Amino acid sequence: MIILVVLLIITITVVFWRTPDATPSDEAAGAGDDGVSRETAPTTLEGALVTQLLQGGISRAQYQQALSRLAARDDERNPMSVPGSDRPDAAA
C-alpha cells in the first residue's frame, strides 16, 4: 500500500511539475530579427509560406497560388508514375 501511494505521489509530481518561465533575455537570444525562434524557424518553403500566411504577410489566395506553382515545379523536377502504368496491357 505504501509503495502505491509513493508511486502515485511521484506520478502526480512529474505530471504537474512546472518549469520556470523563460526570461526575456532567453527569448531575445533565441529569436531572429522577425521574432521567429531559431528552433521553430521553417526549414522548407512550405513552412515559410505557412508562417507568412499565419503572420498575415500573404493572403490565402497568394498562399494557394504559391503552393500550386511549387507543386507544378516539383512535378516537373521529380515526376511520379503510378505503379503498373508502364505495363503494355495497362492502356486497355
Side-chain angles (χ1 to χ4, degrees), residues 30-69:
D33 293 339
D34 57 356
V36 176
S37 173
R38 289 184 197 135
E39 296 173 358
T40 61
T43 58
T44 62
L45 182 55
E46 293 92 341
L49 288 171
V50 169
T51 302
Q52 288 179 350
L53 178 66
L54 293 176
Q55 291 177 348
I58 60 174
S59 68
R60 183 176 178 176
Q62 290 172 321
Y63 171 77
Q64 290 174 340
Q65 185 179 22
L67 278 187
S68 66
R69 284 193 310 249

Side-chain angles (χ1 to χ4, degrees), residues 80-92:
M80 296 182 70
S81 62
V82 179
S85 63
D86 56 348
R87 296 186 343 228
D89 60 341

Side-chain angles (χ1 to χ4, degrees), residues 19-30:
T19 57
D21 293 336
T23 61
S25 62
D26 292 341
E27 292 175 4

